[in-house]
Amino acid sequence: MTSKLEQKETPQANGAVLPIVPGDCLSSPERGQCAEPADFLGPDGTGVEVVVLESRANAKGVREEDALLENGSQSNESDDTSTDRGPEPASPLKETSFSIGLQVLFPFLLAGFGTVAAGMVLDIVQHWDVFKYVTEVFILVPALLGLKGNLEMTLASRLSTAANIGQMDTPKELWKMITGNMALIQVQATVVGFLASIAAVVFGWIPDGHFSIDHAVLLCASSVATAFIASLVLGMIMIGVIIGSRKMGINPDNVATPIAASLGDLITLALLSGISWGLYKELESKAYVNPLVCAFFISLLPIWIVIAKRNSATREVLYSGWEPVIIAMAISSVGGLILDRTVSDPNFAGMAVFTPVINGVGGNLVAVQASRISTYLHMSGVPGDSPETAPRKCPSPCSTFFSSDVNSRSARVLFLLVVPGHLVFLYTISSMQGGHTTLTLIFIVFYMTAALLQVLILLYIADWMVHWMWGRDLDPDNFSIPYLTALGDLIGTGLLALSFHVLWLIGDRDSDVGD
């Protein structure tokens, strides 16, 4: 027999050179049978080496590669067994700009309407007694609304990656991921809620020089209870969305994070308003209620810590995942301080209804992009070990928005959604007479300029930050989204306040503010 059969192909190894002796068996998923020992004998009757060509068709990783990697199906369908293999043609992209936009559009609009509803709620509750007399509650608003970026969006990104690489395929794996991650976000929500209340007290006390222990306990109880309940509800919704997306053949990275935000702002703000109002009513007659509420949720921490520590999928995040959520909370609190100082100023009338919208839209879009880039990197290796996708120290705007790779394509799609999306949301607010503000042409121009600039900055930072964290051996799923959404809150609130201030200076807002 000749030596023409010196090479065989198997999808179960990557570029290995395996010595074959009689009795060895190589099976193929397509053939489902073993080769005969004689097939691997050379002319002199001795065994030959079989070069096993590289294939990515592993059971778990191929599905996400088919969705994201440009060459995801190059090597698993080839029948060429010749010794000299020429360059293989690139397979067509599995995600076009149209498919990305189509998958993102509906959850993006849903998330936007959720932020519109949150803005309408804030526009109403800002006149409640608890917001008038305990103004530090306004500082809590961006910090607690930012929990969707600190916790829920991070959870969605983490679970999307796990689902895409096959770590949630069996009921045992699924249950393990659910219990560990739910316990983890309850720990993070309780701690971040407590720290957010401290930040609100400090930021409120420093400018005014006035401190009230009753108000401090009220803020603590309201913040901790809101963070705990909101994270519990949203975490369960996220798990359902990701499982449903996989069953429907939709990339969870495109839909999970926007849906986390669609209900996140509304649920969190409604809970904060209702809980703080109820506890404020009990402040005089039953002063012990506030410390009891705070103590109850903090006392549950050991239970969640034990559950999260027992799960290998969340143990590392429990120890190392605090820096991004705490720093992100502090950044969002600075945005809350800006909101606190402007929302009661007549010159900034109407700002309360637009703040959750501009912050939410920017955070939603950059979270989608960060989640997609993170999953793309995970498919080529582990954090810190990916030569083909080496971190870029300073990416150029052209490479971020105008290159031919799939992440640049998604950045363009997400950026192009800003103007039509905000026009729909502004029209909705105007038709519902939110903020008592008439939408003039100059107002829309300033507002759109702020929104476009915010998203442009965030998408560029995301491109740099995710790759930089990957090169630093940090998982972007756990570290990037909190920073990005917090920066979205700060940049959005700052640019919106600047726009309102300029509009007031040129007199555009004078005739548009109602009673």
Side-chain angles (χ1 to χ4, degrees):
M1 183 176 181
T2 64
S3 58
K4 290 182 179 179
L5 294 175
E6 288 183 354
Q7 291 187 342
K8 297 281 183 180
E9 184 174 354
T10 177
Q12 300 187 10
N14 293 314
V17 179
L18 304 178
I20 303 298
V21 296
D24 281 351
C25 174
L26 291 178
S27 61
S28 172
E30 291 80 6
R31 294 188 296 269
Q33 61 185 8
C34 296
E36 296 296 330
D39 293 342
F40 302 99
L41 296 180
D44 56 355
T46 59
V48 298
E49 288 185 337
V50 176
V51 180
V52 183
L53 299 178
E54 179 181 6
S55 174
R56 293 195 192 96
N58 58 81
K60 293 182 178 182
V62 69
R63 286 165 299 179
E64 177 60 14
E65 288 188 355
D66 286 344
L68 292 180
L69 293 183
E70 300 190 32
N71 299 317
S73 60
Q74 279 189 355
S75 61
N76 43 329
E77 295 180 358
S78 174
D79 295 327
D80 184 11
T81 57
S82 63
T83 302
D84 298 322
R85 295 173 62 93
E88 297 178 90
S91 61
L93 293 175
K94 299 298 181 179
E95 278 194 319
T96 63
S97 298
F98 178 77
S99 65
I100 295 173
L102 189 63
Q103 289 188 22
V104 173
L105 180 61
F106 176 73
F108 167 71
L109 291 176
L110 182 62
F113 285 121
T115 60
V116 169
M120 300 295 294
V121 171
L122 184 60
D123 188 43
I124 295 171
V125 301
Q126 66 173 324
H127 304 294
W128 290 7
D129 287 345
V130 64
F131 284 86
K132 286 183 177 180
Y133 301 112
V134 189
T135 58
E136 293 85 356
V137 178
F138 282 113
I139 302 178
L140 286 177
V141 171
L144 293 183
L145 266 59
L147 281 178
K148 73 178 186 299
N150 297 347
L151 305 180
E152 278 72 38
M153 284 185 174
T154 302
L155 171 67
S157 180
R158 189 163 56 239
L159 292 182
S160 295
T161 297
N164 282 324
I165 63 177
Q167 294 180 358
M168 295 173 62
D169 286 349
T170 66
K172 183 178 179 180
E173 291 176 328
L174 179 61
W175 178 249
K176 182 179 178 181
M177 293 295 294
I178 290 175
T179 55
N181 279 279
M182 287 299 295
L184 174 66
I185 65 170
Q186 294 312 115
V187 174
Q188 292 177 323
T190 305
V191 173
V192 171
F194 179 75
L195 295 178
S197 66
I198 295 178
V201 171
V202 172
F203 286 154
W205 168 61
I206 291 177
D208 298 335
H210 175 71
F211 176 78
S212 171
I213 186 64
D214 291 337
H215 289 180
V217 176
L218 169 66
L219 290 171
C220 179
S222 302
S223 181
V224 171
T226 299
F228 183 94
I229 298 173
S231 293
L232 180 64
V233 174
L234 292 172
M236 295 174 66
I237 294 174
M238 280 304 90
I239 292 170
V241 168
I242 291 170
I243 295 174
S245 297
R246 292 299 297 167
K247 290 184 177 180
M248 296 175 62
I250 298 175
N251 186 355
D253 284 315
N254 291 338
V255 299
T257 49
I259 291 179
S262 64
L263 298 176
D265 286 346
L266 180 59
I267 291 176
T268 304
L269 187 56
L271 284 171
L272 176 63
S273 304
I275 292 173
S276 60
W277 174 75
L279 293 177
Y280 181 76
K281 289 182 62 178
E282 302 293 336
L283 195 58
E284 294 184 0
S285 58
K286 300 177 182 178
Y288 60 87
V289 171
N290 288 307
L292 278 179
V293 170
C294 191
F296 170 74
F297 287 104
I298 293 178
S299 66
L300 295 177
L301 269 177
I303 300 175
W304 309 125
I305 292 175
V306 169
I307 297 175
K309 283 180 64 176
R310 289 181 177 177
N311 194 311
S312 59
T314 55
R315 188 183 301 119
E316 181 182 353
V317 184
L318 181 65
Y319 292 122
S320 62
W322 292 103
E323 178 184 343
V325 295
I326 292 175
I327 295 179
M329 178 274 300
I331 295 173
S332 295
S333 296
V334 176
L337 181 61
I338 298 174
L339 180 64
D340 182 36
R341 295 298 162 186
T342 57
V343 72
S344 58
D345 190 336
N347 297 327
F348 294 86
M351 183 171 168
V353 74
F354 295 109
T355 300
V357 178
I358 193 171
N359 291 349
V361 169
N364 299 344
L365 294 177
V366 75
V368 171
Q369 180 71 351
S371 181
R372 290 178 56 89
I373 298 175
S374 179
T375 298
Y376 184 87
L377 293 173
H378 272 93
M379 295 313 305
S380 54
V382 296
D385 183 24
S386 181
E388 294 183 0
T389 52
R392 286 168 281 177
K393 294 182 179 179
C394 186
S396 67
C398 290
S399 64
T400 300
F401 295 99
F402 302 108
S403 66
S404 60
D405 65 82
V406 67
N407 293 321
S408 179
R409 183 179 299 111
S410 63
R412 294 193 295 270
V413 172
L414 296 174
F415 183 74
L416 292 175
L417 288 175
V418 174
V419 171
H422 272 297
L423 286 176
V424 173
F425 305 144
L426 288 177
Y427 176 76
T428 304
I429 293 173
S430 177
S431 62
M432 299 178 68
Q433 297 182 348
H436 312 288
T437 303
T438 302
L439 298 182
T440 62
L441 178 60
I442 191 171
F443 171 77
I444 294 176
V445 170
F446 272 85
Y447 180 88
M448 287 299 175
T449 302
L452 287 170
L453 185 59
Q454 176 208 31
V455 174
L456 188 72
I457 294 172
L458 290 176
L459 291 176
Y460 179 77
I461 293 176
D463 187 31
W464 164 78
M465 182 178 289
V466 173
H467 286 90
W468 179 82
M469 288 181 173
W470 186 266
R472 294 286 299 273
D473 199 19
L474 300 174
D475 190 346
D477 281 328
N478 299 325
F479 289 88
S480 63
I481 293 181
Y483 289 118
L484 292 170
T485 53
L487 286 172
D489 291 342
L490 179 59
I491 295 172
T493 305
L495 290 175
L496 187 62
L498 180 62
S499 298
F500 269 81
H501 182 66
V502 173
L503 289 170
W504 172 73
L505 289 177
I506 63 178
D508 183 69
R509 296 287 89 197
D510 291 345
S511 60
D512 298 326
V513 178
D515 297 330

